[in-house]
mmCIF file of all heavy atoms in Angstrom:
data_model
loop_
_atom_site.group_PDB
_atom_site.id
_atom_site.type_symbol
_atom_site.label_atom_id
_atom_site.label_comp_id
_atom_site.label_asym_id
_atom_site.label_seq_id
_atom_site.Cartn_x
_atom_site.Cartn_y
_atom_site.Cartn_z
ATOM 1 N N ALA A 240 7.638 3.519 1.190
ATOM 2 C CA ALA A 240 7.554 4.845 0.572
ATOM 3 C C ALA A 240 7.733 4.747 -0.942
ATOM 4 O O ALA A 240 6.990 5.369 -1.713
ATOM 5 C CB ALA A 240 8.613 5.769 1.167
ATOM 6 N N MET A 241 8.685 3.936 -1.384
ATOM 7 C CA MET A 241 8.902 3.788 -2.821
ATOM 8 C C MET A 241 7.742 3.044 -3.477
ATOM 9 O O MET A 241 7.359 3.343 -4.612
ATOM 10 C CB MET A 241 10.230 3.077 -3.080
ATOM 11 C CG MET A 241 11.431 3.915 -2.661
ATOM 12 S SD MET A 241 13.014 3.183 -3.109
ATOM 13 C CE MET A 241 13.009 3.420 -4.880
ATOM 14 N N GLY A 242 7.156 2.094 -2.749
ATOM 15 C CA GLY A 242 5.976 1.405 -3.271
ATOM 16 C C GLY A 242 4.801 2.353 -3.429
ATOM 17 O O GLY A 242 4.057 2.294 -4.415
ATOM 18 N N LEU A 243 4.631 3.269 -2.475
ATOM 19 C CA LEU A 243 3.553 4.259 -2.555
ATOM 20 C C LEU A 243 3.762 5.217 -3.722
ATOM 21 O O LEU A 243 2.807 5.620 -4.394
ATOM 22 C CB LEU A 243 3.462 5.045 -1.246
ATOM 23 C CG LEU A 243 3.004 4.261 -0.023
ATOM 24 C CD1 LEU A 243 3.172 5.107 1.240
ATOM 25 C CD2 LEU A 243 1.552 3.811 -0.167
ATOM 26 N N VAL A 244 5.010 5.589 -3.977
ATOM 27 C CA VAL A 244 5.299 6.451 -5.124
ATOM 28 C C VAL A 244 4.976 5.722 -6.427
ATOM 29 O O VAL A 244 4.400 6.305 -7.353
ATOM 30 C CB VAL A 244 6.773 6.915 -5.116
ATOM 31 C CG1 VAL A 244 7.127 7.621 -6.427
ATOM 32 C CG2 VAL A 244 7.027 7.850 -3.943
ATOM 33 N N ARG A 245 5.318 4.442 -6.478
ATOM 34 C CA ARG A 245 5.005 3.656 -7.679
ATOM 35 C C ARG A 245 3.505 3.623 -7.926
ATOM 36 O O ARG A 245 3.041 3.752 -9.073
ATOM 37 C CB ARG A 245 5.536 2.222 -7.501
ATOM 38 C CG ARG A 245 5.244 1.302 -8.698
ATOM 39 C CD ARG A 245 6.073 1.703 -9.917
ATOM 40 N NE ARG A 245 5.621 1.025 -11.119
ATOM 41 C CZ ARG A 245 4.680 1.483 -11.935
ATOM 42 N NH1 ARG A 245 4.051 2.623 -11.661
ATOM 43 N NH2 ARG A 245 4.362 0.822 -13.031
ATOM 44 N N LEU A 246 2.743 3.469 -6.863
ATOM 45 C CA LEU A 246 1.286 3.439 -6.957
ATOM 46 C C LEU A 246 0.744 4.811 -7.363
ATOM 47 O O LEU A 246 -0.155 4.911 -8.209
ATOM 48 C CB LEU A 246 0.712 2.999 -5.606
ATOM 49 C CG LEU A 246 -0.795 2.884 -5.444
ATOM 50 C CD1 LEU A 246 -1.417 2.057 -6.556
ATOM 51 C CD2 LEU A 246 -1.119 2.294 -4.076
ATOM 52 N N THR A 247 1.278 5.862 -6.784
ATOM 53 C CA THR A 247 0.863 7.223 -7.130
ATOM 54 C C THR A 247 1.117 7.512 -8.603
ATOM 55 O O THR A 247 0.270 8.094 -9.302
ATOM 56 C CB THR A 247 1.623 8.255 -6.274
ATOM 57 O OG1 THR A 247 1.428 7.956 -4.890
ATOM 58 C CG2 THR A 247 1.146 9.669 -6.565
ATOM 59 N N LYS A 248 2.270 7.106 -9.082
ATOM 60 C CA LYS A 248 2.625 7.312 -10.489
ATOM 61 C C LYS A 248 1.653 6.582 -11.409
ATOM 62 O O LYS A 248 1.231 7.118 -12.437
ATOM 63 C CB LYS A 248 4.059 6.824 -10.742
ATOM 64 C CG LYS A 248 4.569 7.083 -12.149
ATOM 65 C CD LYS A 248 5.999 6.574 -12.291
ATOM 66 C CE LYS A 248 6.503 6.751 -13.719
ATOM 67 N NZ LYS A 248 7.859 6.172 -13.899
ATOM 68 N N ALA A 249 1.287 5.360 -11.053
ATOM 69 C CA ALA A 249 0.347 4.582 -11.872
ATOM 70 C C ALA A 249 -0.993 5.297 -11.985
ATOM 71 O O ALA A 249 -1.644 5.259 -13.035
ATOM 72 C CB ALA A 249 0.163 3.191 -11.275
ATOM 73 N N ILE A 250 -1.398 5.969 -10.908
ATOM 74 C CA ILE A 250 -2.671 6.695 -10.916
ATOM 75 C C ILE A 250 -2.558 7.984 -11.720
ATOM 76 O O ILE A 250 -3.339 8.230 -12.647
ATOM 77 C CB ILE A 250 -3.113 7.004 -9.471
ATOM 78 C CG1 ILE A 250 -3.433 5.712 -8.717
ATOM 79 C CG2 ILE A 250 -4.339 7.934 -9.477
ATOM 80 C CD1 ILE A 250 -3.595 5.898 -7.220
ATOM 81 N N LEU A 251 -1.601 8.821 -11.380
ATOM 82 C CA LEU A 251 -1.484 10.140 -12.005
ATOM 83 C C LEU A 251 -1.165 10.055 -13.496
ATOM 84 O O LEU A 251 -1.580 10.913 -14.286
ATOM 85 C CB LEU A 251 -0.422 10.976 -11.298
ATOM 86 C CG LEU A 251 -0.723 11.384 -9.849
ATOM 87 C CD1 LEU A 251 0.411 12.230 -9.297
ATOM 88 C CD2 LEU A 251 -2.046 12.121 -9.753
ATOM 89 N N HIS A 252 -0.442 9.028 -13.895
ATOM 90 C CA HIS A 252 -0.056 8.861 -15.299
ATOM 91 C C HIS A 252 -0.965 7.880 -16.040
ATOM 92 O O HIS A 252 -0.688 7.537 -17.193
ATOM 93 C CB HIS A 252 1.399 8.406 -15.400
ATOM 94 C CG HIS A 252 2.375 9.401 -14.849
ATOM 95 N ND1 HIS A 252 3.749 9.218 -14.899
ATOM 96 C CD2 HIS A 252 2.190 10.600 -14.247
ATOM 97 C CE1 HIS A 252 4.349 10.255 -14.340
ATOM 98 N NE2 HIS A 252 3.418 11.097 -13.931
ATOM 99 N N ASN A 253 -2.010 7.427 -15.370
ATOM 100 C CA ASN A 253 -2.983 6.507 -15.973
ATOM 101 C C ASN A 253 -2.289 5.352 -16.687
ATOM 102 O O ASN A 253 -2.548 5.052 -17.854
ATOM 103 C CB ASN A 253 -3.899 7.260 -16.954
ATOM 104 C CG ASN A 253 -5.121 6.445 -17.340
ATOM 105 O OD1 ASN A 253 -5.571 5.586 -16.585
ATOM 106 N ND2 ASN A 253 -5.663 6.708 -18.512
ATOM 107 N N GLU A 254 -1.437 4.659 -15.958
ATOM 108 C CA GLU A 254 -0.570 3.647 -16.567
ATOM 109 C C GLU A 254 -1.253 2.301 -16.838
ATOM 110 O O GLU A 254 -0.738 1.504 -17.628
ATOM 111 C CB GLU A 254 0.636 3.386 -15.654
ATOM 112 C CG GLU A 254 1.610 4.537 -15.585
ATOM 113 C CD GLU A 254 2.824 4.223 -14.732
ATOM 114 O OE1 GLU A 254 2.774 3.237 -13.962
ATOM 115 O OE2 GLU A 254 3.815 4.953 -14.822
ATOM 116 N N SER A 255 -2.346 2.009 -16.169
ATOM 117 C CA SER A 255 -2.947 0.670 -16.233
ATOM 118 C C SER A 255 -1.910 -0.387 -15.852
ATOM 119 O O SER A 255 -1.794 -1.440 -16.492
ATOM 120 C CB SER A 255 -3.525 0.396 -17.632
ATOM 121 O OG SER A 255 -4.616 1.245 -17.903
ATOM 122 N N SER A 256 -1.166 -0.098 -14.809
ATOM 123 C CA SER A 256 -0.143 -1.023 -14.320
ATOM 124 C C SER A 256 -0.767 -2.067 -13.403
ATOM 125 O O SER A 256 -1.738 -1.785 -12.695
ATOM 126 C CB SER A 256 0.935 -0.259 -13.549
ATOM 127 O OG SER A 256 1.617 0.638 -14.387
ATOM 128 N N ILE A 257 -0.191 -3.258 -13.401
ATOM 129 C CA ILE A 257 -0.654 -4.314 -12.506
ATOM 130 C C ILE A 257 0.205 -4.296 -11.254
ATOM 131 O O ILE A 257 1.418 -4.525 -11.307
ATOM 132 C CB ILE A 257 -0.604 -5.691 -13.190
ATOM 133 C CG1 ILE A 257 -1.558 -5.725 -14.391
ATOM 134 C CG2 ILE A 257 -0.963 -6.793 -12.194
ATOM 135 C CD1 ILE A 257 -1.516 -7.015 -15.173
ATOM 136 N N LEU A 258 -0.427 -4.005 -10.121
ATOM 137 C CA LEU A 258 0.262 -3.920 -8.840
ATOM 138 C C LEU A 258 -0.525 -4.713 -7.804
ATOM 139 O O LEU A 258 -1.751 -4.779 -7.862
ATOM 140 C CB LEU A 258 0.377 -2.456 -8.398
ATOM 141 C CG LEU A 258 1.116 -1.522 -9.364
ATOM 142 C CD1 LEU A 258 0.913 -0.064 -8.962
ATOM 143 C CD2 LEU A 258 2.602 -1.858 -9.404
ATOM 144 N N THR A 259 0.181 -5.303 -6.855
ATOM 145 C CA THR A 259 -0.502 -6.078 -5.813
ATOM 146 C C THR A 259 -0.916 -5.134 -4.692
ATOM 147 O O THR A 259 -0.121 -4.812 -3.810
ATOM 148 C CB THR A 259 0.401 -7.197 -5.264
ATOM 149 O OG1 THR A 259 1.705 -6.662 -5.000
ATOM 150 C CG2 THR A 259 0.495 -8.343 -6.223
ATOM 151 N N VAL A 260 -2.146 -4.693 -4.756
ATOM 152 C CA VAL A 260 -2.664 -3.709 -3.812
ATOM 153 C C VAL A 260 -3.888 -4.255 -3.096
ATOM 154 O O VAL A 260 -4.486 -5.251 -3.515
ATOM 155 C CB VAL A 260 -3.022 -2.396 -4.537
ATOM 156 C CG1 VAL A 260 -1.761 -1.709 -5.055
ATOM 157 C CG2 VAL A 260 -4.008 -2.649 -5.682
ATOM 158 N N SER A 261 -4.252 -3.581 -2.032
ATOM 159 C CA SER A 261 -5.457 -3.966 -1.300
ATOM 160 C C SER A 261 -6.659 -3.310 -1.961
ATOM 161 O O SER A 261 -6.755 -2.082 -2.012
ATOM 162 C CB SER A 261 -5.354 -3.520 0.161
ATOM 163 O OG SER A 261 -6.452 -4.006 0.901
ATOM 164 N N CYS A 262 -7.544 -4.130 -2.500
ATOM 165 C CA CYS A 262 -8.727 -3.598 -3.170
ATOM 166 C C CYS A 262 -9.941 -4.459 -2.820
ATOM 167 O O CYS A 262 -9.811 -5.543 -2.244
ATOM 168 C CB CYS A 262 -8.514 -3.516 -4.682
ATOM 169 S SG CYS A 262 -8.055 -5.042 -5.471
ATOM 170 N N TYR A 263 -11.091 -3.958 -3.178
ATOM 171 C CA TYR A 263 -12.356 -4.596 -2.799
ATOM 172 C C TYR A 263 -12.662 -5.785 -3.707
ATOM 173 O O TYR A 263 -12.585 -5.675 -4.935
ATOM 174 C CB TYR A 263 -13.479 -3.569 -2.907
ATOM 175 C CG TYR A 263 -14.820 -4.049 -2.401
ATOM 176 C CD1 TYR A 263 -15.075 -4.131 -1.036
ATOM 177 C CD2 TYR A 263 -15.836 -4.395 -3.287
ATOM 178 C CE1 TYR A 263 -16.313 -4.547 -0.561
ATOM 179 C CE2 TYR A 263 -17.082 -4.811 -2.820
ATOM 180 C CZ TYR A 263 -17.304 -4.884 -1.458
ATOM 181 O OH TYR A 263 -18.524 -5.300 -0.984
ATOM 182 N N LEU A 264 -12.996 -6.891 -3.081
ATOM 183 C CA LEU A 264 -13.398 -8.074 -3.843
ATOM 184 C C LEU A 264 -14.911 -8.240 -3.764
ATOM 185 O O LEU A 264 -15.507 -8.146 -2.691
ATOM 186 C CB LEU A 264 -12.715 -9.329 -3.303
ATOM 187 C CG LEU A 264 -11.186 -9.379 -3.382
ATOM 188 C CD1 LEU A 264 -10.683 -10.772 -3.013
ATOM 189 C CD2 LEU A 264 -10.676 -8.967 -4.751
ATOM 190 N N ASN A 265 -15.507 -8.469 -4.916
ATOM 191 C CA ASN A 265 -16.954 -8.649 -5.006
ATOM 192 C C ASN A 265 -17.252 -9.909 -5.818
ATOM 193 O O ASN A 265 -17.886 -9.868 -6.862
ATOM 194 C CB ASN A 265 -17.601 -7.419 -5.650
ATOM 195 C CG ASN A 265 -19.114 -7.459 -5.581
ATOM 196 O OD1 ASN A 265 -19.690 -8.045 -4.662
ATOM 197 N ND2 ASN A 265 -19.778 -6.849 -6.558
ATOM 198 N N GLY A 266 -16.709 -11.023 -5.342
ATOM 199 C CA GLY A 266 -16.877 -12.294 -6.030
ATOM 200 C C GLY A 266 -15.584 -12.851 -6.581
ATOM 201 O O GLY A 266 -15.470 -14.065 -6.801
ATOM 202 N N GLU A 267 -14.594 -11.973 -6.821
ATOM 203 C CA GLU A 267 -13.298 -12.466 -7.291
ATOM 204 C C GLU A 267 -12.663 -13.339 -6.211
ATOM 205 O O GLU A 267 -12.791 -13.069 -5.021
ATOM 206 C CB GLU A 267 -12.360 -11.298 -7.622
ATOM 207 C CG GLU A 267 -12.869 -10.371 -8.709
ATOM 208 C CD GLU A 267 -13.715 -9.226 -8.179
ATOM 209 O OE1 GLU A 267 -14.055 -9.251 -6.966
ATOM 210 O OE2 GLU A 267 -14.039 -8.312 -8.965
ATOM 211 N N TYR A 268 -11.978 -14.376 -6.630
ATOM 212 C CA TYR A 268 -11.336 -15.326 -5.711
ATOM 213 C C TYR A 268 -12.358 -15.926 -4.721
ATOM 214 O O TYR A 268 -11.995 -16.333 -3.610
ATOM 215 C CB TYR A 268 -10.197 -14.650 -4.939
ATOM 216 C CG TYR A 268 -9.040 -14.215 -5.807
ATOM 217 C CD1 TYR A 268 -8.990 -12.921 -6.333
ATOM 218 C CD2 TYR A 268 -7.986 -15.082 -6.114
ATOM 219 C CE1 TYR A 268 -7.944 -12.498 -7.129
ATOM 220 C CE2 TYR A 268 -6.921 -14.673 -6.897
ATOM 221 C CZ TYR A 268 -6.906 -13.383 -7.413
ATOM 222 O OH TYR A 268 -5.856 -12.969 -8.204
ATOM 223 N N ASP A 269 -13.639 -15.923 -5.135
ATOM 224 C CA ASP A 269 -14.715 -16.448 -4.294
ATOM 225 C C ASP A 269 -14.832 -15.707 -2.958
ATOM 226 O O ASP A 269 -15.248 -16.293 -1.944
ATOM 227 C CB ASP A 269 -14.524 -17.953 -4.021
ATOM 228 C CG ASP A 269 -14.654 -18.788 -5.283
ATOM 229 O OD1 ASP A 269 -15.509 -18.450 -6.124
ATOM 230 O OD2 ASP A 269 -13.897 -19.767 -5.426
ATOM 231 N N GLN A 270 -14.498 -14.432 -2.960
ATOM 232 C CA GLN A 270 -14.579 -13.621 -1.743
ATOM 233 C C GLN A 270 -15.419 -12.375 -2.003
ATOM 234 O O GLN A 270 -15.400 -11.824 -3.112
ATOM 235 C CB GLN A 270 -13.183 -13.204 -1.272
ATOM 236 C CG GLN A 270 -12.291 -14.352 -0.872
ATOM 237 C CD GLN A 270 -12.826 -15.100 0.336
ATOM 238 O OE1 GLN A 270 -13.445 -14.525 1.226
ATOM 239 N NE2 GLN A 270 -12.568 -16.411 0.376
ATOM 240 N N ARG A 271 -16.117 -11.921 -0.985
ATOM 241 C CA ARG A 271 -16.946 -10.709 -1.097
ATOM 242 C C ARG A 271 -16.784 -9.837 0.150
ATOM 243 O O ARG A 271 -16.516 -10.321 1.234
ATOM 244 C CB ARG A 271 -18.430 -11.072 -1.259
ATOM 245 C CG ARG A 271 -18.756 -11.786 -2.560
ATOM 246 C CD ARG A 271 -20.245 -12.076 -2.706
ATOM 247 N NE ARG A 271 -20.507 -12.823 -3.928
ATOM 248 C CZ ARG A 271 -20.638 -12.280 -5.132
ATOM 249 N NH1 ARG A 271 -20.543 -10.951 -5.257
ATOM 250 N NH2 ARG A 271 -20.862 -13.034 -6.195
ATOM 251 N N ASP A 272 -16.973 -8.553 -0.073
ATOM 252 C CA ASP A 272 -17.008 -7.557 1.004
ATOM 253 C C ASP A 272 -15.750 -7.578 1.862
ATOM 254 O O ASP A 272 -15.807 -7.580 3.089
ATOM 255 C CB ASP A 272 -18.252 -7.775 1.882
ATOM 256 C CG ASP A 272 -18.584 -6.528 2.700
ATOM 257 O OD1 ASP A 272 -18.356 -5.414 2.209
ATOM 258 O OD2 ASP A 272 -19.078 -6.691 3.839
ATOM 259 N N VAL A 273 -14.608 -7.553 1.206
ATOM 260 C CA VAL A 273 -13.336 -7.499 1.918
ATOM 261 C C VAL A 273 -12.310 -6.785 1.038
ATOM 262 O O VAL A 273 -12.321 -6.920 -0.189
ATOM 263 C CB VAL A 273 -12.842 -8.916 2.293
ATOM 264 C CG1 VAL A 273 -12.507 -9.739 1.052
ATOM 265 C CG2 VAL A 273 -11.658 -8.858 3.242
ATOM 266 N N PHE A 274 -11.457 -5.980 1.655
ATOM 267 C CA PHE A 274 -10.284 -5.424 0.988
ATOM 268 C C PHE A 274 -9.115 -6.323 1.329
ATOM 269 O O PHE A 274 -8.872 -6.626 2.505
ATOM 270 C CB PHE A 274 -9.992 -3.994 1.480
ATOM 271 C CG PHE A 274 -10.710 -2.915 0.722
ATOM 272 C CD1 PHE A 274 -12.069 -2.711 0.904
ATOM 273 C CD2 PHE A 274 -10.026 -2.096 -0.173
ATOM 274 C CE1 PHE A 274 -12.741 -1.707 0.223
ATOM 275 C CE2 PHE A 274 -10.692 -1.087 -0.865
ATOM 276 C CZ PHE A 274 -12.048 -0.891 -0.670
ATOM 277 N N ILE A 275 -8.377 -6.734 0.302
ATOM 278 C CA ILE A 275 -7.275 -7.673 0.517
ATOM 279 C C ILE A 275 -6.305 -7.544 -0.655
ATOM 280 O O ILE A 275 -6.679 -7.115 -1.748
ATOM 281 C CB ILE A 275 -7.819 -9.116 0.658
ATOM 282 C CG1 ILE A 275 -6.749 -10.073 1.193
ATOM 283 C CG2 ILE A 275 -8.426 -9.616 -0.640
ATOM 284 C CD1 ILE A 275 -7.317 -11.427 1.643
ATOM 285 N N GLY A 276 -5.042 -7.926 -0.432
ATOM 286 C CA GLY A 276 -4.012 -7.769 -1.453
ATOM 287 C C GLY A 276 -4.106 -8.782 -2.580
ATOM 288 O O GLY A 276 -4.000 -9.986 -2.348
ATOM 289 N N VAL A 277 -4.294 -8.264 -3.797
ATOM 290 C CA VAL A 277 -4.322 -9.080 -5.012
ATOM 291 C C VAL A 277 -3.763 -8.233 -6.162
ATOM 292 O O VAL A 277 -3.749 -7.006 -6.081
ATOM 293 C CB VAL A 277 -5.755 -9.546 -5.382
ATOM 294 C CG1 VAL A 277 -6.280 -10.561 -4.385
ATOM 295 C CG2 VAL A 277 -6.702 -8.363 -5.500
ATOM 296 N N PRO A 278 -3.328 -8.863 -7.249
ATOM 297 C CA PRO A 278 -2.916 -8.067 -8.411
ATOM 298 C C PRO A 278 -4.132 -7.343 -8.992
ATOM 299 O O PRO A 278 -5.216 -7.926 -9.114
ATOM 300 C CB PRO A 278 -2.388 -9.114 -9.391
ATOM 301 C CG PRO A 278 -2.157 -10.354 -8.598
ATOM 302 C CD PRO A 278 -3.139 -10.308 -7.478
ATOM 303 N N ALA A 279 -3.940 -6.079 -9.348
ATOM 304 C CA ALA A 279 -5.037 -5.296 -9.921
ATOM 305 C C ALA A 279 -4.478 -4.288 -10.910
ATOM 306 O O ALA A 279 -3.332 -3.847 -10.793
ATOM 307 C CB ALA A 279 -5.828 -4.582 -8.829
ATOM 308 N N VAL A 280 -5.290 -3.927 -11.888
ATOM 309 C CA VAL A 280 -4.913 -2.924 -12.875
ATOM 310 C C VAL A 280 -5.241 -1.550 -12.303
ATOM 311 O O VAL A 280 -6.391 -1.265 -11.959
ATOM 312 C CB VAL A 280 -5.661 -3.139 -14.211
ATOM 313 C CG1 VAL A 280 -5.254 -2.078 -15.221
ATOM 314 C CG2 VAL A 280 -5.387 -4.546 -14.753
ATOM 315 N N VAL A 281 -4.216 -0.691 -12.193
ATOM 316 C CA VAL A 281 -4.372 0.610 -11.557
ATOM 317 C C VAL A 281 -4.152 1.728 -12.568
ATOM 318 O O VAL A 281 -3.177 1.720 -13.320
ATOM 319 C CB VAL A 281 -3.375 0.772 -10.389
ATOM 320 C CG1 VAL A 281 -3.526 2.149 -9.736
ATOM 321 C CG2 VAL A 281 -3.560 -0.338 -9.363
ATOM 322 N N GLY A 282 -5.084 2.695 -12.572
ATOM 323 C CA GLY A 282 -4.971 3.843 -13.464
ATOM 324 C C GLY A 282 -5.601 5.071 -12.852
ATOM 325 O O GLY A 282 -5.811 5.133 -11.632
ATOM 326 N N SER A 283 -5.962 6.042 -13.678
ATOM 327 C CA SER A 283 -6.461 7.324 -13.185
ATOM 328 C C SER A 283 -7.821 7.225 -12.506
ATOM 329 O O SER A 283 -8.210 8.122 -11.752
ATOM 330 C CB SER A 283 -6.535 8.329 -14.332
ATOM 331 O OG SER A 283 -7.390 7.852 -15.358
ATOM 332 N N ASP A 284 -8.562 6.147 -12.765
ATOM 333 C CA ASP A 284 -9.852 5.947 -12.114
ATOM 334 C C ASP A 284 -9.738 5.070 -10.870
ATOM 335 O O ASP A 284 -10.738 4.693 -10.272
ATOM 336 C CB ASP A 284 -10.854 5.311 -13.083
ATOM 337 C CG ASP A 284 -11.168 6.219 -14.265
ATOM 338 O OD1 ASP A 284 -11.212 7.450 -14.057
ATOM 339 O OD2 ASP A 284 -11.353 5.710 -15.378
ATOM 340 N N GLY A 285 -8.513 4.731 -10.508
ATOM 341 C CA GLY A 285 -8.300 3.839 -9.366
ATOM 342 C C GLY A 285 -8.132 2.405 -9.821
ATOM 343 O O GLY A 285 -7.350 2.116 -10.731
ATOM 344 N N ILE A 286 -8.886 1.501 -9.204
ATOM 345 C CA ILE A 286 -8.822 0.090 -9.584
ATOM 346 C C ILE A 286 -9.669 -0.118 -10.828
ATOM 347 O O ILE A 286 -10.893 -0.007 -10.791
ATOM 348 C CB ILE A 286 -9.327 -0.815 -8.448
ATOM 349 C CG1 ILE A 286 -8.497 -0.631 -7.188
ATOM 350 C CG2 ILE A 286 -9.311 -2.284 -8.896
ATOM 351 C CD1 ILE A 286 -7.047 -1.057 -7.318
ATOM 352 N N LYS A 287 -9.016 -0.424 -11.940
ATOM 353 C CA LYS A 287 -9.749 -0.666 -13.179
ATOM 354 C C LYS A 287 -10.254 -2.104 -13.262
ATOM 355 O O LYS A 287 -11.316 -2.370 -13.809
ATOM 356 C CB LYS A 287 -8.853 -0.367 -14.384
ATOM 357 C CG LYS A 287 -8.465 1.104 -14.526
ATOM 358 C CD LYS A 287 -7.707 1.323 -15.817
ATOM 359 C CE LYS A 287 -7.471 2.809 -16.074
ATOM 360 N NZ LYS A 287 -6.827 3.046 -17.393
ATOM 361 N N LYS A 288 -9.463 -3.018 -12.726
ATOM 362 C CA LYS A 288 -9.831 -4.439 -12.814
ATOM 363 C C LYS A 288 -9.009 -5.240 -11.822
ATOM 364 O O LYS A 288 -7.822 -4.995 -11.647
ATOM 365 C CB LYS A 288 -9.575 -4.961 -14.237
ATOM 366 C CG LYS A 288 -9.889 -6.433 -14.436
ATOM 367 C CD LYS A 288 -9.507 -6.897 -15.836
ATOM 368 C CE LYS A 288 -9.765 -8.376 -16.032
ATOM 369 N NZ LYS A 288 -9.332 -8.847 -17.370
#
Side-chain angles (χ1 to χ4, degrees):
M241 293 186 72
L243 292 171
V244 171
R245 179 70 191 89
L246 180 51
T247 305
K248 184 179 177 184
I250 294 168
L251 294 181
H252 297 183
N253 194 27
E254 290 183 344
S255 294
S256 296
I257 297 177
L258 301 168
T259 46
V260 292
S261 186
C262 56
Y263 186 76
L264 297 189
N265 189 29
E267 300 90 351
Y268 295 93
D269 294 322
Q270 297 296 327
R271 294 182 183 277
D272 199 34
V273 66
F274 272 74
I275 193 167
V277 291
V280 180
V281 179
S283 59
D284 296 325
I286 300 295
K287 294 186 172 185
K288 179 184 178 183

